[in-house]
Amino acid sequence: MNCSQTTGKYLRCYQVQGDTCKHCKRNATCFQQTGIRRRILGSSCYPAFYRGHERIGSEAYWRMMCLRKIWAEGSFSVLKREHSLSKIRKRGIPAVTEECLLSVMALNLKRMVKAILLLPSLLKIRVESYNFQPGSLFVNRSNS
């Protein structure tokens, strides 16, 4: 792993000496610029990207796409509609990240408050569905 000084990203470095590839058909094209050594830099995320790319069209892929539509796309549409994320007002990656995280925190707080406020009414419905009899240690459902 090498850190690129221009971008600051970590890259995988694959390199081979020229004598290892003497009998390869592509030797002339690979080593024409360098002559001694062939060096290839690739993203550190490439193995994970490649594994994900192999899954496209499989049963697991379609199942995950359906779940993504349910979980992620709905949240993105709410963030764009109600938290003005369709247009970012800040510049720079750290500032944009901050704006997005604040919007997500606001969305989660609203969901948490809604869940807390709904909890007593859900418990009340659940308690009313049972028939409590004084002097009885057992709880009977009032289905009959």
Side-chain angles (χ1 to χ4, degrees):
M1 299 287 279
N2 293 337
C3 183
S4 172
Q5 292 182 0
T6 56
T7 61
K9 295 182 179 180
Y10 283 94
L11 301 172
R12 289 181 182 266
C13 178
Y14 302 97
Q15 64 183 18
V16 66
Q17 297 292 341
D19 56 351
T20 307
C21 301
K22 283 181 189 176
H23 306 292
C24 179
K25 292 185 249 179
R26 298 184 193 178
N27 190 352
T29 58
C30 283
F31 289 96
Q32 66 185 1
Q33 291 117 0
T34 59
I36 301 170
R37 180 183 310 155
R38 172 71 173 172
R39 186 173 177 198
I40 300 172
L41 295 175
S43 170
S44 61
C45 300
Y46 185 76
F49 169 78
Y50 185 74
R51 284 194 309 271
H53 195 66
E54 283 182 330
R55 284 192 290 259
I56 292 177
S58 68
E59 179 74 25
Y61 171 79
W62 291 115
R63 195 169 44 249
M64 287 306 295
M65 290 304 289
C66 288
L67 292 176
R68 177 184 171 179
K69 287 179 186 175
I70 293 168
W71 294 334
E73 301 299 332
S75 296
F76 289 143
S77 67
V78 169
L79 287 170
K80 287 168 74 174
R81 184 179 63 241
E82 298 177 7
H83 296 270
S84 302
L85 275 189
S86 56
K87 184 173 183 178
I88 301 293
R89 291 169 181 76
K90 297 184 176 186
R91 290 189 179 192
I93 299 295
V96 169
T97 303
E98 177 186 348
E99 185 175 354
C100 292
L101 287 176
L102 286 172
S103 296
V104 169
M105 284 174 39
L107 179 65
N108 286 337
L109 281 172
K110 286 179 8 182
R111 288 178 177 172
M112 187 175 70
V113 167
K114 185 177 179 182
I116 289 171
L117 292 177
L118 284 178
L119 186 63
S121 63
L122 289 175
L123 287 176
K124 184 179 177 185
I125 293 170
R126 191 164 184 196
V127 168
E128 288 174 354
S129 68
Y130 291 100
N131 183 13
F132 292 101
Q133 298 174 357
S136 173
L137 295 176
F138 301 103
V139 176
N140 299 323
R141 274 204 172 257
S142 59
N143 290 340
S144 51

